[in-house]
């Protein structure tokens, strides 16, 4: 009696990847970058061309595409096999991709959200506390701790400040060599802590110091860094979604660093809301005895000259009332009219980039993507069209008053109150009225 041989198990077809027409947004060749078979070329429009013969059907491109513009294609014969497999309830065990499993294990080693607390001579930068606000939200979504990263000399008091703004733990490196910010010293201190404690996310202010340090750290620990983020959130795979303007501010791009840790972002001052300060909150301080030999640092700080010490310095970033002028001001002398209105409001004068480029106002007054981000109680935009690069710097103001003679100017789309008219008549009229009210003539 002959034994009947078991029927060979049908092999599950893998298919080949295919682009779905008109869905690709040319995100920067993410699909190409993950293809292990090197079968994706990009055309001039930034869309993928897939060489079927080489495709091994690994689905990596399909999974990474942010807009689901790729799908797996199966021939009719392959579809038939798939149907048969389903009908005969053959369980095709999910193949374990060793590469993906190793990556998952590596990423799992990193936990917690860190915020670098920037300080100059022991005085913290406000942006660090703004980042505690968003950092706390991210930590809550991930179910981890918000930790402050504090480096300096005699800066233990900043740990308590960090707890007041939401951190539950502070990593502290406190030694004379860290008195003043110097890239090499701070870089080594940061990398030491990162290597030892492995944070999942690190946020830094997009200030001179933060930009310098974040770039150096990301390079040294070989991870990704997204600069000048305007939005931060977490996806369903614990990845940080970092949103920022791209292509000259014309689109908002969401950038992820899903294969490396820590995920690093910088955020400009005034972009995130300041969290509430809570008194008498305790936290854990982890003191690290780490130092860098002074002789190994080539940079020496001779003197610190603060912007705020210069007579002409005006901090538009921290102002409650801003009256800004654009190209519609026509000439530098006309800004005197805005100064008068700003004085009445107790505020300062800002400018669009066109006004700065024309030499009508200094660069530190520029509001927008390449200028400052502001969040005043009242922002008055005079003769500013409302280009997206200007809007990203002021659209979160509490009240926006726009004065423009073009009723279709985009600035009116974000304005709380819009005045269609000639600013040379409207601005002096508002100033005059405010003066009358101040002098006790409210009618
Ligand atoms: C990469 C990049 C970064 C940029 N960064 C910035 C930035 O940080 N900040 C920034 O501001 N821009 C920035 N820009 C420039 C931006 O695109 C615009 O060109 C600029 O904001 C326009 O300035 P504006 O509104 O003053 O001038 P315009 O666009 O020329 O607008 C002038 C407005 O004045 C109005 N007007 C004229 N006369 C009167 C009057 N008498 N009464 C009332 N209204 C009047 C006009 O109707 C018009 O709407 C950037 C551009 C790029 C490409
Ligand atoms: S399915 Fe895999 S092999 Fe095929 S194109 Fe996509 S990434 Fe490359
Ligand atoms: S990943 Fe998607 S959106 Fe990006 S280039 Fe490839 S197909 Fe286009």
């Amino acid at each position: 009696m002959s034994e009947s041989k078991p029927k060979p198990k049908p092999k599950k077809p893998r298919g080949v990847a295919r682009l779905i027409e008109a869905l690709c947004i040319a995100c920067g060749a993410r699909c190409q970058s993950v293809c292990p078979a090197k079968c994706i070329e990009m055309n001039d429009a930034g869309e993928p061309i897939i060489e079927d013969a080489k495709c091994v059907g690994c689905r990596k491109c399909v999974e990474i595409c942010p807009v689901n513009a790729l799908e797996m294609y199966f021939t009719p014969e392959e579809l038939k096999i798939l149907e048969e497999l389903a009908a005969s309830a053959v369980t095709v065990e999910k193949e374990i991709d060793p590469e993906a499993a190793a990556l998952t294990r590596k990423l799992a080693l990193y936990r917690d959200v860190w915020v670098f607390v920037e300080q100059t001579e022991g005085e913290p930068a406000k942006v660090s506390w703004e980042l505690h606000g968003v950092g706390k939200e991210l930590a809550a979504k991930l179910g981890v701790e918000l930790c402050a990263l504090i480096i300096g000399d005699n800066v233990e008091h900043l740990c308590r400040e960090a707890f007041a703004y939401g951190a539950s733990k502070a990593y502290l490196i406190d030694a004379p060599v860290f008195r003043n910010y110097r890239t090499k010293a701070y870089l080594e201190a940061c990398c030491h802590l990162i290597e030892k404690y492995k944070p999942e996310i690190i946020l830094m202010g997009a200030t001179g110091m933060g930009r310098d340090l974040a770039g150096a750290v990301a390079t040294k620990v070989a991870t990704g860094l997204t600069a000048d983020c305007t939005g931060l959130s977490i996806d369903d795979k614990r990845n940080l979604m970092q949103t920022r303007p791209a292509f000259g501010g014309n689109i908002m791009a969401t950038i992820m660093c899903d294969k490396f840790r820590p995920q690093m972002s910088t955020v400009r001052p005034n972009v995130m809301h300041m969290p509430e300060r809570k008194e008498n909150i305790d936290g854990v301080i982890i003191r690290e005895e780490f130092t860098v030999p002074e002789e190994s640092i080539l940079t020496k700080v001779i003197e610190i000259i603060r912007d705020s010490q210069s007579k002409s310095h005006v901090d538009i970033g921290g102002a409650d009332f801003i009256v800004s002028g654009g190209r519609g001001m026509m000439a530098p002398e006309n800004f005197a009219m805005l100064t008068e209105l700003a004085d009445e409001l107790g505020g300062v004068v800002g400018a669009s980039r066109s006004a700065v480029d024309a030499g009508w106002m200094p660069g530190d007054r520029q509001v927008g993507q390449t200028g400052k981000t502001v969040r005043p109680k009242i922002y008055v935009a005079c003769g500013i069209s409302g280009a997206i690069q200007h809007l990203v710097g002021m659209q979160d103001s509490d009240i926006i008053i726009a004065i423009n003679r073009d009723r279709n100017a985009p600035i009116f789309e974000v304005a709380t109150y819009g005045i269609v008219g000639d600013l040379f008549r409207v601005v002096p009229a508002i100033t005059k009225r405010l003066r009358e009210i101040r002098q006790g003539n409210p009618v």
Side-chain angles (χ1 to χ4, degrees), residues 154-374:
N154 279 323
V155 287
E156 192 170 330
H157 63 284
L158 295 178
C159 299
R160 286 181 289 282
E161 275 302 286
F163 300 148
Y165 285 108
S168 53
K169 194 186 271 176
Y171 291 98
L172 174 67
I173 291 189
D174 203 330
V177 73
F178 301 112
R179 174 156 191 78
N180 296 308
Y181 174 74
R182 288 175 296 171
T183 314
K184 183 179 160 55
Y186 276 56
L187 168 64
E188 290 197 9
C190 275
C191 292
H192 165 80
L193 290 172
I194 293 169
E195 209 170 289
K196 189 163 175 188
Y197 296 103
K198 298 194 170 21
E200 204 165 354
I201 292 172
I202 303 182
L203 308 178
M204 295 193 188
T207 56
M209 189 191 296
R211 284 185 176 153
D212 182 60
L213 183 61
V217 170
T219 309
K220 191 149 183 200
V221 302
T223 190
L225 164 68
T226 306
D228 292 356
C229 295
T230 52
L232 295 170
S233 56
I234 303 290
D235 78 353
D236 55 3
K237 293 182 187 140
R238 296 183 75 89
N239 289 311
L240 179 64
M241 298 201 285
Q242 307 159 98
T243 304
R244 56 151 297 151
F247 296 111
N250 292 314
I251 62 159
M252 296 304 279
T254 297
I255 297 162
M256 295 189 358
C257 171
D258 52 358
K259 296 207 169 34
F260 300 93
R261 292 290 183 270
Q263 303 159 93
M264 293 187 63
S265 319
T266 63
V267 179
R268 299 202 307 177
N270 300 311
V271 169
M272 300 295 172
H273 279 288
M274 189 73 173
E276 194 192 330
R277 189 181 187 291
K278 293 186 178 146
E279 297 294 341
N280 304 322
I281 304 286
D282 256 353
V284 177
I285 301 177
I286 312 275
R287 277 184 197 79
E288 278 290 308
E289 297 305 322
F290 179 85
T291 190
V292 179
E294 180 61 52
E295 336 56 272
S296 71
I297 306 169
L298 296 178
T299 325
K300 308 288 168 210
V301 177
I302 295 161
E303 188 189 354
I304 294 177
I305 302 166
R306 290 169 184 256
D307 277 352
S308 52
Q309 275 168 251
S310 113
K311 270 193 192 150
S312 60
H313 176 77
V314 171
D315 176 21
I316 58 166
D320 277 345
F321 301 97
I322 300 175
V323 182
S324 272
R327 208 197 303 264
M329 295 307 297
M330 310 303 282
E333 56 274 19
N334 294 331
F335 274 80
M337 184 196 302
L338 303 190
T339 308
E340 278 185 48
L341 176 54
D343 286 348
E344 279 307 314
L345 291 167
V348 297
V349 175
S352 72
R353 175 153 143 186
S354 298
V356 170
D357 286 351
W360 300 345
M361 289 299 281
D364 62 0
R365 304 291 183 103
Q366 184 181 317
V367 173
Q369 188 188 325
T370 41
K372 299 243 170 76
T373 302
V374 297

Side-chain angles (χ1 to χ4, degrees), residues 19 24-31 42 46-48 61 64-67 69-70:
L19 180 69
C24 173
I25 56 163
C27 71
R30 287 188 200 187
C31 46
M42 305 309 288
E47 294 168 347
C61 56
I64 202 160
C65 178
V67 289
L70 293 161

Side-chain angles (χ1 to χ4, degrees), residues 93-127:
E93 277 177 26
K94 197 169 184 272
E95 287 159 43
I96 296 164
D97 177 350
E99 219 180 284
L103 178 67
T104 311
R105 279 196 301 275
K106 181 181 98 178
L107 301 191
L109 297 175
Y110 291 80
R111 285 291 176 265
D112 293 344
V113 177
W114 286 14
V115 173
F116 172 67
V117 178
E118 176 175 335
Q119 53 83 26
T120 307
E121 297 179 310
E123 197 184 300
K126 194 174 132 250
V127 66

